[in-house]
Amino acid sequence: MKYYLSLLLFSFFIHVSSQELNHTSQDIAINKLIDGTLLVPKDKTKPKLAIIIADYGPTDRNGNQNFSNNNSLKKLAEALTNNGIATFRYDKRIVKQILKKKIDPNITFDDFVADAVSVIDFFKKENTYSGIFIIGHGQGSLVGMLTAKGRADGFISLAGSAQSIDEVITQQIAAMDTTLIEETKKAFESLKQGKLTNEYPQALGTIFRADVQPFIMNWMQYHPQEIIKSLDMPKLIVNGTKDLQVSVEEAKLLKSVSESSELKIIEHMNHVLFIIEGDELENSKSYNESFRNISKVLITSISEFIQK
């Protein structure tokens, strides 16, 4: 019995070790605000590099937030590296601020763009990669578009919106309560003019809080359709049919203004890149289910796009 147990453990060790030998892993501080993890395949002398930019909120390099632990971006990075593509994923600056209990109340959307630019500039100076691609997830899609322009060799929008954030929020509110639409539009009109406002539906206080308004004001000036249209590089637009946050119509809108882009709609994939066969309850619960695997079709689609 002991012999078979030892043999099993030895076999397991060999299996894990062989997996680890496929790539190197290194934690890198880009600057005092941005830390991330670089994975490099060992069998490539000058691989292509994919920089992964996370979604909204205090999202870490693995795609996780409080009460949302799915490791989706970690799994994406590892899968791409196993396919011969180096990857770098990083914590958003607010993650570090929260850990140090020194949150900057004046953080802006442009700060996220500046961070992503710092990342790509860091790796371009190294000159060790045959090409640099940006993968932007959710809010990171817009950040990625702005970062990629004039800097990257290709761009991938992963569950990215085609509309400005004020349009997205207005549509979401309209779907919940049509009586709030007019007040919402008036509030956004004030922000468009660069004016803070206290005239908004009280039910939407979390969206229009005084400390949030400057961030929204900065964010809403960017229109994804205009930006992706201006990108002169290979582009891949990906969305899942089970995405509760960004519909496939958003991906189709991005494609409609950027004819040279490739469009990939993945059946049953949700916002955190998992395949969901069941209902919305299963979909919602999956955000905190790190045991799930991300879509194989997604991995293949991105890998083939980058390796062309």
Side-chain angles (χ1 to χ4, degrees), residues 62-65 67-76 78 270 272 274 282-294:
N62 297 327
N64 302 328
Q65 295 186 18
F67 311 111
S68 179
N69 182 24
N70 50 68
N71 283 334
S72 56
L73 299 186
K74 178 183 180 182
K75 292 174 182 180
L76 176 61
E78 291 174 342
N270 73 355
V272 291
F274 296 146
E282 178 194 347
N283 199 335
S284 300
K285 285 175 62 180
S286 73
Y287 281 56
N288 200 37
E289 294 179 336
S290 60
F291 63 84
R292 290 178 177 266
N293 296 318
I294 64 171

Side-chain angles (χ1 to χ4, degrees), residues 41-295:
K42 284 190 172 182
D43 58 346
K44 296 278 185 177
T45 54
K46 200 168 184 181
K48 292 181 179 178
L49 172 70
I51 297 170
I52 302 173
I53 304 174
D55 202 352
Y56 69 93
T59 310
D60 69 16
R61 70 191 73 183
N62 297 327
N64 302 328
Q65 295 186 18
N66 285 341
F67 311 111
S68 179
N69 182 24
N70 50 68
N71 283 334
S72 56
L73 299 186
K74 178 183 180 182
K75 292 174 182 180
L76 176 61
E78 291 174 342
L80 293 178
T81 303
N82 285 339
N83 282 350
I85 300 164
T87 60
F88 182 76
R89 64 192 194 276
Y90 62 93
D91 301 332
K92 295 179 72 174
R93 68 163 62 188
I94 195 169
V95 173
K96 197 167 190 176
Q97 291 175 357
I98 290 172
L99 290 174
K100 291 189 172 184
K101 298 181 180 179
K102 292 182 179 180
I103 300 174
D104 180 2
N106 300 312
I107 194 169
T108 67
F109 182 83
D110 283 341
D111 287 330
F112 295 144
V113 178
D115 293 340
V117 169
S118 295
V119 172
I120 194 170
D121 285 349
F122 178 92
F123 288 107
K124 283 175 76 71
K125 286 178 184 176
E126 284 200 334
N127 195 31
T128 55
Y129 302 97
S130 59
I132 297 180
F133 289 70
I134 299 291
I135 302 174
H137 179 234
Q139 183 196 71
S141 171
L142 178 55
V143 173
M145 290 180 201
L146 293 164
T147 304
K149 190 171 183 179
R151 299 182 184 90
D153 298 291
F155 170 70
I156 297 132
S157 173
L158 187 51
S161 175
Q163 302 175 81
S164 60
I165 189 58
D166 56 308
E167 294 171 327
V168 171
I169 292 174
T170 301
Q171 286 186 4
Q172 291 175 344
I173 289 168
M176 293 187 299
D177 188 345
T178 56
T179 65
L180 301 176
I181 296 176
E182 290 307 313
E183 286 184 277
T184 299
K185 287 182 177 179
K186 287 180 181 178
F188 277 129
E189 190 57 40
S190 178
L191 296 182
K192 280 181 183 177
Q193 296 172 12
K195 301 175 184 176
L196 301 181
T197 181
N198 55 14
E199 296 182 9
Y200 55 82
Q202 293 307 303
L204 305 178
T206 55
I207 296 173
F208 291 107
R209 284 195 335 249
D211 60 327
V212 174
Q213 287 185 33
F215 185 90
I216 295 289
M217 193 185 297
N218 181 204
W219 187 0
M220 65 190 284
Q221 70 178 288
Y222 296 112
H223 298 267
Q225 292 176 69
E226 294 176 6
I227 299 165
I228 198 169
K229 185 166 54 176
S230 70
L231 294 183
D232 184 18
M233 62 184 66
K235 292 161 282 189
L236 173 65
I237 301 166
V238 185
N239 225 98
T241 62
K242 288 276 190 170
D243 195 319
L244 296 175
Q245 294 166 248
V246 181
S247 74
V248 295
E249 295 307 315
E250 297 294 308
K252 291 176 180 178
L253 274 173
L254 288 176
K255 168 64 178 174
S256 70
V257 298
S258 180
E259 293 183 2
S260 63
S261 299
E262 296 180 31
L263 175 64
K264 184 66 179 180
I265 303 300
I266 300 178
E267 290 296 322
H268 301 292
M269 188 179 79
N270 73 355
H271 192 71
V272 291
L273 318 182
F274 296 146
I275 296 298
I276 303 298
E277 300 292 351
D279 57 13
E280 286 193 8
L281 178 59
E282 178 194 347
N283 199 335
S284 300
K285 285 175 62 180
S286 73
Y287 281 56
N288 200 37
E289 294 179 336
S290 60
F291 63 84
R292 290 178 177 266
N293 296 318
I294 64 171
S295 165

